[in-house]
Amino acid sequence: MKCPYCGDPDQRVLDSRPARDGEAIRRRRECTRCGRRFTTFEAPELARPYVLKRSGEREEFDREKLLRSMVLACGKRPVGIERLQGAADKIERDLSHRFTGEVPSRVIGERVLHELSQLDDVAFVRYASVYREFDSLEEFSALIEDVKRAEGPNPSALAIMPN
């Protein structure tokens, strides 16, 4: 590995510790040439499942696309990026452990709904309104009423609602 600042391949490890719930190792390094410090993560590379979309198309799972959709749902909400990254990591880990070939996009959407339900009611409703493709104001209102009744989204009751 090369220093990201000067490109020199020599550096020393200053500190190593577990990261991402023990799924990776975080290393703090110092370049022997320029003296700058940087952090690296070492993790096993898991085979990423392919996403089977509603249209029948297949595409490789993209964690960044997943995270972008969650960030969009949490726009102008008091949810830190670290919490969203943690949720995206959790979803990716779960999918990698449960699916080896293909995962239906429906499963990913439901996992995102579950994670958002733990983070923010408004983000949950925003994501659900797009993911479930509401056709009417009544469907949208029903979801909001369900969230109110549950005093926050109840993932076991709301995340499995049919479209």
Side-chain angles (χ1 to χ4, degrees):
M1 176 180 319
K2 294 180 181 179
C3 171
Y5 303 106
C6 71
D8 194 73
D10 295 323
Q11 68 260 175
R12 63 188 187 111
V13 175
L14 303 173
D15 179 49
S16 291
R17 64 178 69 166
R20 299 180 186 149
D21 296 328
E23 299 281 330
I25 297 173
R26 176 188 179 272
R27 298 193 196 282
R28 192 73 182 137
R29 299 174 180 268
E30 182 178 58
C31 178
T32 56
R33 180 171 166 218
C34 70
R36 295 191 62 185
R37 294 180 177 189
F38 57 98
T39 301
T40 60
F41 289 90
E42 181 180 324
E45 190 166 353
L46 301 172
R48 292 184 177 196
Y50 277 82
V51 177
L52 180 59
K53 306 194 73 137
R54 291 178 188 174
S55 66
E57 290 181 53
R58 290 172 177 79
E59 66 181 45
E60 190 172 350
F61 176 78
D62 183 353
R63 180 189 176 282
E64 294 307 313
K65 183 176 178 181
L66 173 77
L67 183 58
R68 279 192 307 272
S69 71
M70 294 172 72
V71 167
L72 185 61
C74 291
K76 297 186 181 181
R77 300 296 304 157
V79 180
I81 190 68
E82 299 82 22
R83 293 178 72 198
L84 291 172
Q85 288 172 332
D89 289 342
K90 189 174 177 182
I91 293 168
E92 182 177 25
R93 246 189 338 267
D94 180 55
L95 295 175
S96 292
H97 292 313
R98 289 183 50 211
F99 298 91
T100 54
E102 295 177 344
V103 57
S105 61
R106 168 189 52 77
V107 172
I108 297 170
E110 295 300 330
R111 287 290 288 127
V112 171
L113 283 172
H114 174 77
E115 292 301 321
L116 289 176
S117 74
Q118 307 299 306
L119 297 174
D120 187 82
D121 292 348
V122 173
F124 171 85
V125 171
R126 285 177 179 170
Y127 189 89
S129 69
V130 173
Y131 170 69
R132 296 216 173 110
E133 299 177 339
F134 291 151
D135 291 325
S136 69
L137 190 56
E138 289 75 26
E139 289 175 312
F140 192 77
S141 296
L143 177 66
I144 292 172
E145 288 304 315
D146 287 342
V147 170
K148 283 182 184 178
R149 258 194 312 279
E151 292 186 295
N154 177 353
S156 61
L158 299 176
I160 57 174
M161 288 175 32
N163 286 346

